[in-house]
Amino acid sequence: MNITLLVQFLALLEEMKTREEILPEFERLLDRCGFDFYGVVRQPKPNENPLRLLLAGRWPDGWPQIYIRKKYVVIDPTIRYLGHAQRGFRWRDTLAAFRSDPHRKRMESMMVEARNHGLFDGYIFPVHGRRGLMGNLTVGGRVVDLSPVELSLFDAIAKRLFWKLLELTDPEIMAELISRVEVQMTRREMEALNYLADGMTSNDIGKVLDISSHTVDWYMNGIQEKLKAKNRHHVVAIAFRLGLIS
C-alpha cells in the first residue's frame, strides 16, 4: 500500500505550486506511512545552526533546542554518514560505521536522548547537486521498516521535495545554485586540474603531460586566477563544487 501512496504523492508533487499545498499533503503521507517527525534541511556546516537552514519540519517538543545547545550536529552519526552516502539509509545502521571513533560514547548518548524524545529510529535521504551534498530529508519517530522499493521512492521524493521547497523558500539561492558555470578552461588546464585532484604534484603532472613542472605551474596559476582560489587545495574544492571535476 505504501508503494502506491508514494507513487501518487510523487505525481501530485509535480502539480502542487505552493508550500501551503505541498506540506499538508506530505505530512499526511508521512502519517499514513507511520512516521511522526521529519525535516527537510539544507546541508549545514559544523558551526551553523541547522534550524536556520530548515526548509520544513516537525520535531518533538524541545528536541531542536537540545540538539543545538549540545552541538550534536558535529557528532551526529547520521549527519556524518550522510557525507559518504549516495542513497537513503537507516539511522540505527550508522553507529556501526563509527566503532572506533573518539566521539562514539557521545554519539550513543545522543541516540539515547533522541529515543527519550520519541525518535526511536528513522531514515535519512541525501540530496546532491552540482556542488555536492546540498541537503537531506530525514523522517522518523516510531520504528518503521521500509522495503527497498519504498526506500527508492522516498529517495525520489526527497530530491523533488527539497528542490521545490528551496525554490519556493529562497529563489535567490536556488538561482545561484542552478546558474551556469561561466569558467572557461582550456583542454590543458582541464587535464592539469584533474591530475591535481588525484593528488599529483607539478612534477608528476609534468611527466604525464610531457611538459616541464614550470609549465604546469603556469597552468595552475591560470586556473587559480580563473576560480578565484586562495591555493591549490581551494582550487580542487571549488572545482568539485562547480562540477568541473568529479
Side-chain angles (χ1 to χ4, degrees), residues 15-32:
E15 300 175 4
M16 294 185 287
K17 305 297 183 185
T18 67
R19 289 173 58 90
E20 291 70 28
E21 291 177 293
I22 295 168
L23 293 181
E25 289 299 328
F26 181 60
E27 291 180 359
R28 190 163 71 93
L29 171 71
L30 294 182
D31 290 339
R32 295 181 71 178

Side-chain angles (χ1 to χ4, degrees), residues 37-51:
F37 308 107
Y38 77 96
V40 184
V41 190
R42 286 174 51 209
Q43 183 64 12
K45 295 178 181 178
N47 62 339
E48 285 185 305
N49 180 343
L51 285 188

Side-chain angles (χ1 to χ4, degrees), residues 4 20-21 24 48 54 85 111 160:
T4 302
E20 291 70 28
E21 291 177 293
E48 285 185 305
L54 186 70
M111 291 297 205
R160 191 69 192 98

Side-chain angles (χ1 to χ4, degrees), residues 2 28-37 140-144:
N2 280 355
R28 190 163 71 93
L29 171 71
L30 294 182
D31 290 339
R32 295 181 71 178
C33 290
F35 294 111
D36 304 300
F37 308 107
R142 289 167 285 172
V143 177
V144 176

Side-chain angles (χ1 to χ4, degrees), residues 113-176:
E113 195 159 12
R115 287 195 291 272
N116 290 338
H117 281 79
L119 295 165
F120 294 98
D121 196 15
Y123 299 83
I124 188 164
F125 303 89
V127 177
H128 295 91
R130 177 164 52 83
R131 299 185 180 184
L133 181 63
M134 305 305 301
N136 69 82
L137 163 66
T138 185
V139 296
R142 289 167 285 172
V143 177
V144 176
D145 296 316
L146 292 180
S147 69
V149 174
E150 289 168 335
L151 274 171
S152 295
L153 287 169
F154 260 109
D155 253 325
I157 287 171
K159 292 171 176 59
R160 191 69 192 98
L161 182 65
F162 177 88
W163 292 115
K164 197 143 193 174
L165 288 177
L166 182 59
E167 185 176 16
L168 292 169
T169 304
D170 202 330
E172 288 186 7
I173 289 180
M174 183 67 176
E176 178 189 343

